[in-house]
Amino acid sequence: MSQTQHALSLPSQRLPVYRAELLRVTDGANLGDTLSFADELVPDDVYELTFGAMLQSLSIHVGEKDAYHVSPESLLGHPGARLVADSVLTVMPPTGETIEILVLVEVDTEGHVVQIYAAPLSPISEKLPYSLVGIDKNAARLRMAQMACVSFTRGTRITLATGEQRAVEHLQAGDRVLTRDDGPQEIRWIGHLTMRASGEFAPIRIKAGTLNNAGDLTVSPDHRLFIYQRHDHIGAGRSELLVRARHLVNGETVKVAEGGYVDYFQLLFDTHQIIFAEGISAETMQADQRTRPVLPEDVKQELARPKQGHNAPPRHQAYEVNETLLDRPDAVELLRRASSK
């Protein structure tokens, strides 16, 4: 498999974004200008979001030389076009809290700017002034990687090789965890991030019993759960499914848990694994072009060393369920029934 084919086989990353022209300077040096890339911005300029502005979905994949591109299924942008992760801006509304905005620039084959996108990492509101207080040109790829890392939240019970269930925050590298496909496997690395639980970083809480889970399961929005269907109630055409937590939100048994801060933990093995969390199957972090910026150098080097039987392309990607199959009010109940004995 070529590097390009391998990249395209990885899960795409979805970002809700505003087109940059919907954020305009209402006070400051660039008065009247729209949001631009870092080199054209001036600190202390005040931006406002245009009334009626709508978030749109930009889907991204990683191609050759770890470059970002617009995914073929994206609802925004030109499929295949290159995206530059330009900067992370810090803005401050009158309340005094700070909000980060990730700036992505779509360019054509000659490197000319086609469109600029602003992805707020916490919600922003119309007609509210936001002062530009920080411009970081080095943090964009790291923020992208953090959002691509699937994570468990503090307190999530993980099943060890012995059958013991241990809270994720008490696990250590080297602990042996029970995996669905490869039996007991050692944890290679554990990451930890504390984030504001809002916007794209707000976790998803799945109430106990909703998918036959023993306890409440709270995970990052794009964390994928593994479901084995005994009956194909949703029409996926196969028994083994990977379902993103964000696609299951129904406001009742599966909710967005916004507010305060959330402790996220990433579990990395030598290969992508399906493990057991709160009694149901869930994926672990995948070390790839999207997530590599969060890894320490020694872990990157260790993972780069060839290992017998560990050089195959990701084996679980074909299991992912298209969001359109889950766009129905009874999707969660159908999955619960399909996976019940």
Side-chain angles (χ1 to χ4, degrees):
M1 178 178 285
S2 70
Q3 184 177 356
T4 301
Q5 289 172 319
H6 174 64
L8 286 170
S9 73
L10 299 174
S12 61
Q13 188 171 350
R14 184 188 71 86
L15 277 180
V17 301
Y18 293 106
R19 297 192 313 277
E21 59 265 27
L22 297 176
L23 279 160
R24 193 173 292 273
V25 178
T26 57
D27 188 21
N30 287 334
L31 182 64
D33 288 355
T34 62
L35 186 72
S36 189
F37 43 85
D39 289 343
E40 293 189 349
L41 301 179
V42 177
D44 297 324
D45 275 358
V46 177
Y47 288 82
E48 287 189 12
L49 182 64
T50 303
F51 181 75
M54 298 288 291
L55 280 167
Q56 294 180 274
S57 182
L58 178 68
S59 293
I60 301 164
H61 72 258
V62 182
E64 291 184 350
K65 299 181 180 178
D66 294 351
Y68 294 117
H69 295 271
V70 179
S71 294
E73 73 274 15
S74 181
L75 300 178
L76 197 61
H78 299 82
R82 189 162 70 91
L83 287 165
V84 177
D86 177 75
S87 56
V88 174
L89 311 180
T90 303
V91 298
M92 182 182 293
T95 57
E97 64 183 354
T98 57
I99 295 171
E100 289 187 331
I101 296 176
L102 175 64
V103 177
L104 297 167
V105 181
E106 180 181 344
V107 297
D108 61 20
T109 54
E110 296 180 352
H112 300 140
V113 175
V114 175
Q115 181 60 263
I116 300 172
Y117 305 104
L121 303 186
S122 296
I124 60 176
S125 303
E126 302 169 349
K127 307 302 289 183
L128 193 65
Y130 291 91
S131 298
L132 179 60
V133 297
I135 304 170
D136 189 337
K137 294 197 283 187
N138 299 315
R141 289 195 72 92
L142 177 61
R143 287 293 181 274
M144 291 285 287
Q146 289 171 340
M147 286 187 287
C149 288
V150 297
S151 307
F152 298 98
T153 57
R154 180 178 294 275
T156 302
R157 294 174 296 173
I158 305 297
T159 302
L160 302 184
T162 60
E164 174 194 351
Q165 292 194 337
R166 186 179 299 172
V168 65
E169 65 269 23
H170 298 315
L171 295 175
Q172 298 179 10
D175 283 345
R176 289 168 65 82
V177 170
L178 181 63
T179 71
R180 178 184 181 273
D181 300 301
D182 297 322
Q185 292 292 314
E186 288 188 1
I187 299 173
R188 172 63 59 191
W189 174 79
I190 300 175
H192 175 219
L193 289 168
T194 299
M195 311 295 299
R196 183 175 290 154
S198 63
E200 285 304 290
F201 288 112
I204 307 298
R205 179 170 296 126
I206 302 166
K207 186 178 178 181
T210 298
L211 290 172
N212 305 307
N213 44 312
D216 288 359
L217 177 65
T218 307
V219 294
S220 55
D222 279 322
H223 207 133
R224 297 180 301 175
L225 308 179
F226 179 88
I227 295 173
Y228 181 84
Q229 294 191 111
R230 289 169 174 79
H231 308 282
D232 187 12
H233 290 321
I234 66 168
R238 58 186 183 276
S239 298
E240 297 173 311
L241 310 178
L242 279 176
V243 181
R244 296 193 190 211
R246 72 160 77 244
H247 295 162
L248 298 175
V249 172
N250 57 18
E252 297 178 3
T253 57
V254 184
K255 298 180 179 180
V256 179
E258 284 201 283
Y261 288 81
V262 58
D263 282 327
Y264 278 135
F265 294 85
Q266 302 85 40
L267 300 183
L268 179 69
F269 295 78
D270 285 336
T271 57
H272 186 243
Q273 296 289 349
I274 303 296
I275 63 174
F276 301 94
E278 297 298 340
I280 65 171
S281 304
E283 70 172 332
T284 62
M285 175 180 164
Q286 186 168 314
D288 55 37
Q289 297 99 316
R290 304 166 307 145
T291 59
R292 215 162 18 221
V294 306
L295 296 176
E297 281 304 317
D298 60 330
V299 175
K300 292 180 188 176
Q301 292 172 13
E302 177 61 27
L303 292 174
R305 295 193 184 105
K307 297 180 179 64
Q308 186 174 1
H310 286 175
N311 297 318
R315 55 187 162 181
H316 299 122
Q317 304 315 327
Y319 298 165
E320 181 159 2
V321 177
N322 190 291
E323 182 179 1
T324 57
L325 290 178
L326 302 169
D327 189 17
R328 49 190 298 172
D330 60 345
V332 173
E333 176 59 19
L334 288 177
L335 289 172
R336 186 192 66 79
R337 285 166 44 202
S339 59
S340 297
K341 293 182 180 179

